[in-house]
Amino acid sequence: MPTRFYNTLHHRLEDFIPLHPGPDAANPILGSQIGIYSCGPTVYDYAHIGNFRAFLFSDVLRRYLELRGAQVTHVMNMTDVGHMTDDQLADGAGRDKLEVAVEKMKENKKDGKALIENPNDPFAVADFFARAFLQDARLLGLGVVADYDLATTHESKERIIPRPTRHIPEFIEMIQTLMARGHAYKGDDGVVYYDIHSFPAYGKLSGNSLEQLSHGAGGRTNEQAAKKHPADFFLWKPDAHHIMRWPSPWGEGYPGWHIECSVMSIRALGQSFDLHTGGEDNIHPHHECEIAQSEGATGKPFVKYWMHTRHLMVNGEKMSKSRGNFFTIRDLTTMGFDPVVIRWGLISTRYREPMNFTVQSLHEAAAAITTLRDLADKLITAVAAVDEAAGDGDFAVPDGLSEAVHDPVLEPADQRMLAEFNLAMDDDLNVSGALAALFTWANPLHKHKKLAYPQARSALQSLKKVDHVLGVVFVDLQALPQDKQRHVEDLMQKRDAARQHKDFAASDMIRRQLLSLGVEVKDTPAGTTWRPRLAPEKLSQ
RNA sequence: GGCCGGAUGCCCGAGUGGACUAAGGGAGCGGAUUGCAAAUCCGCGAUUCGUGGGUUCGAAUCCCACUCCGGCCUCCA
């Protein structure tokens, strides 16, 4: 059964065969080199869970290909050039989003909530939200950010998470190439436009024809004398007053919305690469324009497989700022959800299904993860005892993301689970199906009070493999703050004392108190332990 | 208007012609265990897959119509 992905370019499921496959034709992913470019965040504000659904999808894709033995180069841009907010005009006559962000920052400063020193500086504002994004992404375990953190030089970091403001001269270079090759022209208004008539495949990705686009039944393409076709999009706009501007052969101004991804992806991955991901809203126009630019400039096929995530809904409604029904990562962690819970909540539905996000779904995620983590603890304990006796302690430490996945001989049940997990993932990343395989496998393991060593070791290894993709079991949870931790330990002592005196009323009261602090208490014959909960106490309805 | 998805138990969500008496998770209920909990274990729950027709020996799965929900059609992940 080959690995199949839905390729937006051809509107169908296709066998995934890397451009640089491994030596085994029957399993071309093993030993292959794969390049993935993911459209990342814009840094004018905190990213919300809808954004992160898309980023996490690309992370699951990347991790799954790694599990299957590919060497993946994953690149994700962080857009720090402001784009327009006004959707009536395609040519940048609206307000710049960074300008809006700057205004907000200034408001905050007036209110005494200064987040940065100089809110007038759009670069500083972008930096601020870029840092916030990286923090959130680390919490959620994005592999691309782990790569970024591991990279030691500015240049290598810039390949992994490039920022457009650092590559403007390269944009200009590509625009010049496009002009030289007859794909771009300078209009009477001085703006440089892409000539979509010069690129017959324009519209292929979204299933639009030029005919439909020119009619603009949605009413949003703008007729403009300077453009040859209403759907021609701008590559460079001279504007001496724009909030962010750079010198160019066409005057001081700023680049178009799409050029950054063409330039930066080619820069990091070459003129042709395997996979390009993004949210469904990117299909048109962003990715359409990227293809036109990239292939127009290089004359080579740009991306082999395009994959797009469906949008996230919240409580059955489209997420939007006006409704106020969106969450940021920090909103949810403040509520008391551990990041692994958020990760699970956002990856456990297949990327191509529309997904409805609810707080309830996070509680469910917490329960599911707890089951797996308990199993992992049990396996580690069973394995550690023997390994320690044998002087072999290599199982205490979880595998790092980039560490190769070993292949010892696994028990048949474990092999079966991995095969079923892979089968589901091979079917266009069917995570729900893969999780079903995992839980079906995990169930009988709970029954054994004590597992025999070889079984435990094999099971542990298998769980680590799937967790390379899931990233929720062998990762550290958020630690309690020091003062809270002391408070908890204090309460635990009091409770122990109460229990020794058989004062169960007091003991139960303290347990409730601990619960509201986000701590779960467990009484066992061996003693009483506590641990932080993955989710806050459920509010009674 | 054009294009594209979706509707499965209380909730989330697999399954896309016969092994479906419909996976898995969550919540619930009864029992074991526990001072009480938690965890774990045992047991219970869709004769049915939005509605109506059709094709077929056989349909959640294919076809047609309808209803509802959502997305894109130059802000957006």
Side-chain angles (χ1 to χ4, degrees):
Chain A
M1 197 29 202
T3 300
R4 296 193 307 166
F5 296 143
Y6 185 89
N7 187 356
T8 311
L9 191 61
H10 302 127
H11 312 275
R12 62 168 191 238
L13 284 168
E14 291 180 354
D15 289 0
F16 176 72
I17 298 161
L19 289 170
H20 305 287
D24 179 4
N27 182 7
I29 297 175
L30 182 65
S32 64
Q33 307 239 320
I34 295 174
I36 306 178
Y37 185 87
S38 299
C39 277
T42 49
V43 288
Y44 326 127
D45 207 341
Y46 296 109
H48 55 61
I49 51 172
N51 303 125
F52 273 106
R53 181 190 192 195
F55 309 147
L56 283 168
F57 145 66
S58 68
D59 190 57
V60 167
L61 170 66
R62 167 245 169 93
R63 285 165 174 251
Y64 180 60
L65 292 171
E66 285 175 342
L67 176 68
R68 295 296 305 274
Q71 195 186 322
V72 176
T73 307
H74 191 186
V75 178
M76 184 169 72
N77 67 308
M78 203 151 61
T79 297
D80 58 358
V81 177
H83 295 323
M84 299 303 117
T85 56
D86 189 334
D87 67 352
Q88 291 303 312
L89 297 166
D91 302 299
R95 277 185 86 208
D96 186 281
K97 280 199 189 155
L98 256 171
E99 200 179 322
V100 175
V102 164
E103 290 295 322
K104 260 206 268 183
M105 281 287 194
K106 283 204 269 192
E107 288 298 315
N108 279 336
K109 187 148 196 186
K110 268 193 247 164
D111 296 346
K113 299 182 287 187
L115 295 170
I116 58 171
E117 291 268 317
N118 180 7
N120 281 313
D121 178 1
F123 292 90
V125 171
D127 272 343
F128 172 82
F129 287 116
R131 272 198 303 276
F133 168 75
L134 291 173
Q135 278 168 13
D136 290 348
R138 278 182 200 109
L139 289 178
L140 294 183
L142 285 194
V144 70
V145 176
D147 292 347
Y148 175 85
D149 288 338
L150 282 171
T152 49
T153 64
H154 175 79
E155 170 54 26
S156 55
K157 280 183 187 292
E158 203 47 40
R159 272 175 195 282
I160 298 164
I161 303 187
R163 291 177 57 170
T165 51
R166 297 170 182 169
H167 303 281
I168 302 291
E170 297 157 68
F171 298 178
I172 291 170
E173 214 174 291
M174 183 178 275
I175 296 169
Q176 284 175 318
T177 305
L178 286 169
M179 291 180 92
R181 293 176 64 113
H183 289 294
Y185 61 94
K186 188 170 153 183
D188 294 339
D189 53 2
V191 177
V192 181
Y193 294 103
Y194 192 97
D195 180 357
I196 59 169
H197 278 304
S198 74
F199 191 77
Y202 191 84
K204 198 164 62 172
L205 191 67
S206 63
N208 278 313
S209 66
L210 284 191
E211 189 61 9
Q212 283 159 356
L213 288 169
S214 68
H215 285 118
R220 299 219 241 175
T221 49
N222 62 325
E223 299 288 342
Q224 216 174 38
K227 295 201 290 189
K228 292 184 186 169
H229 186 282
D232 284 357
F233 55 95
F234 88 93
L235 298 169
W236 188 269
K237 177 160 177 146
D239 179 351
H241 304 291
H242 194 254
I243 186 165
M244 277 182 166
R245 54 185 187 273
W246 296 266
S248 86
W250 315 283
E252 217 179 20
Y254 57 96
W257 312 352
H258 315 297
I259 196 78
E260 64 182 66
C261 287
S262 288
V263 171
M264 299 190 307
S265 62
I266 288 173
R267 181 177 192 276
L269 298 171
Q271 295 185 333
S272 299
F273 56 93
D274 296 287
L275 286 152
H276 196 313
T277 74
E280 59 177 328
D281 55 292
N282 281 154
I283 296 170
H284 186 92
H286 184 54
H287 289 161
E288 203 90 77
C289 297
E290 254 185 86
I291 295 171
Q293 290 167 165
S294 304
E295 299 193 352
T298 67
K300 302 219 171 73
F302 180 41
V303 171
K304 195 169 178 193
Y305 302 93
W306 288 88
M307 296 174 76
H308 294 94
T309 327
R310 281 300 198 138
H311 274 170
L312 188 68
M313 306 211 293
V314 170
N315 297 322
E317 287 188 324
K318 185 185 171 171
M319 212 167 57
S320 73
K321 297 219 165 175
S322 55
R323 284 197 177 101
N325 62 346
F326 63 96
F327 296 96
T328 61
I329 302 309
R330 38 207 81 207
D331 289 338
L332 296 173
T333 52
T334 304
M335 284 164 74
F337 290 104
D338 192 275
V340 294
V341 172
I342 305 170
R343 181 175 167 96
W344 181 285
L346 292 173
I347 67 173
S348 53
T349 298
R350 211 219 228 118
Y351 77 99
R352 213 154 53 78
E353 305 291 334
M355 175 180 172
N356 184 23
F357 179 89
T358 58
V359 170
Q360 174 61 25
S361 68
L362 290 184
H363 285 287
E364 292 171 15
I369 296 171
T370 303
T371 304
L372 293 177
R373 292 185 72 106
D374 285 350
L375 175 61
D377 284 346
K378 190 170 148 183
L379 295 174
I380 288 170
T381 308
V383 168
V386 177
D387 277 353
E388 222 165 275
D392 175 7
D394 71 331
F395 271 91
V397 187
D399 291 323
L401 182 64
S402 54
E403 199 173 311
V405 181
H406 313 291
D407 252 321
V409 177
L410 298 173
E411 299 285 324
D414 302 337
Q415 288 181 22
R416 195 160 50 237
M417 181 275 282
L418 288 171
E420 282 168 14
F421 184 90
N422 285 351
L423 196 66
M425 293 298 281
D426 276 345
D427 179 18
D428 200 26
L429 303 181
N430 181 358
V431 177
S432 315
L435 291 178
L438 177 58
F439 280 101
T440 304
W441 165 82
N443 259 328
L445 290 173
H446 294 300
K447 288 184 196 171
H448 302 285
K449 282 247 166 4
K450 274 220 156 67
L451 282 161
Y453 174 78
Q455 279 78 18
R457 185 170 177 134
S458 168
L460 182 59
Q461 196 68 328
S462 307
L463 187 56
K464 281 185 179 177
K465 279 173 178 256
V466 298
D467 194 54
H468 180 82
V469 179
L470 302 176
V472 295
V473 179
F474 300 99
V475 295
D476 292 333
L477 300 179
Q478 291 304 102
L480 287 182
Q482 289 259 306
D483 52 331
K484 201 168 173 183
Q485 175 143 353
R486 264 198 300 277
H487 185 38
V488 166
E489 272 156 14
D490 187 44
L491 285 171
M492 285 295 290
Q493 272 183 8
K494 284 190 179 136
R495 184 168 176 274
D496 274 348
R499 289 187 75 226
Q500 263 164 28
H501 296 113
K502 305 246 185 254
D503 184 355
F504 294 120
S507 152
D508 289 351
M509 203 189 74
I510 296 174
R511 182 166 56 204
R512 275 195 297 278
Q513 232 176 313
L514 285 161
L515 193 62
S516 69
L517 284 169
V519 165
E520 186 174 278
V521 177
K522 190 152 59 163
D523 298 323
T524 71
T528 298
T529 59
W530 66 272
R531 62 179 179 187
R533 289 166 53 93
L534 297 180
E537 234 184 321
K538 251 197 198 168
L539 298 173
S540 49
Q541 23 280 31

